[in-house]
């Protein structure tokens, strides 16, 4: 009887993985499940790329490994009893699920990148005024960091007016506003 349970787990896990891969490829995985519309986020709500331990992929890897290990263990005389094969199969499934969880989270962590420039990269950078900065007012600048162009609200460091097109140097940042001074 336990052979059928193991076989069903193995087949269901494999079928789920295949159907998920095919449907995810066809439909692009744009469901409204999990964080950011991705089912792989599982029950996590951090907003960061990654896989929850309770994500469908990790659970399917547990069920598949449980079934496969159970089938193998029932073929070995010393582990044929369900009282021995079931705990060992569950442990095997847990190890495989843990490895799946670790692999995907490591992969997502290493490939995660941001187009946001760090403040330390911005301070001292030359920018161009694209919307005039009035005296004691706010205008807009454009600057380039790591080959990416950004624009941001800006104030004059000395409170003086700076016309559009004038080059400036970014001196500091307060909140989201850059303080700049004209380059002479």
């Amino acid at each position: 009887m336990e052979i059928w349970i193991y076989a069903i787990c193995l087949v269901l896990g494999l079928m789920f993985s295949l159907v998920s891969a095919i449907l995810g490829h066809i439909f692009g995985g744009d469901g409204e499940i999990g964080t950011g519309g991705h089912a792989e986020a599982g029950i996590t709500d951090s907003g960061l790329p990654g896989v929850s331990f309770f994500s469908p992929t990790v659970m399917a890897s547990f069920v598949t490994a449980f079934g496969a290990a159970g089938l193998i263990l029932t073929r070995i005389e010393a582990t044929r009893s369900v009282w021995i094969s079931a705990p060992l199969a569950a442990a095997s499934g847990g190890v495989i699920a843990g490895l799946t969880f670790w692999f995907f989270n490591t992969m997502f962590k290493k490939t995660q990148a941001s187009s946001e420039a760090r403040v330390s990269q911005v301070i001292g950078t030359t920018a161009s005024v694209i919307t005039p900065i009035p005296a004691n007012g706010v205008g807009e600048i454009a600057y380039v960091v790591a080959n990416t162009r950004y624009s941001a609200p800006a104030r004059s460091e000395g409170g003086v007016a700076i016309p559009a097109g004038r080059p400036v140097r970014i001196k500091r940042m307060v909140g989201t506003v850059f303080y700049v001074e004209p380059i002479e």
Side-chain angles (χ1 to χ4, degrees), residues 78-133:
T79 58
R80 184 164 289 172
S81 167
V82 72
W83 299 106
I84 297 173
S85 66
L88 290 175
S92 298
V95 168
I96 296 299
L99 289 172
T100 302
F101 174 76
W102 172 81
F103 172 76
F104 279 107
N105 280 314
T106 300
M107 181 179 62
F108 286 135
K109 206 176 288 181
K110 289 185 187 273
T111 60
Q112 180 181 0
S114 172
S115 63
E116 294 288 320
R118 288 185 169 45
V119 174
S120 62
Q121 292 175 302
V122 174
I123 304 303
T125 301
T126 301
S128 180
V129 177
I130 56 176
T131 302
I133 301 173

Side-chain angles (χ1 to χ4, degrees), residues 3-46:
I3 291 176
W4 285 105
I5 293 172
Y6 295 138
I8 289 170
C9 287
L10 175 63
V11 170
L12 285 177
L14 288 174
M15 292 302 293
F16 177 82
S17 297
L18 288 172
V19 168
S20 293
I22 293 168
L23 293 179
H25 182 70
I26 293 171
F27 296 111
D30 290 333
E32 293 300 323
I33 301 171
T35 302
H38 298 283
E40 287 311 305
I43 63 170
T44 185
D45 193 26
S46 66

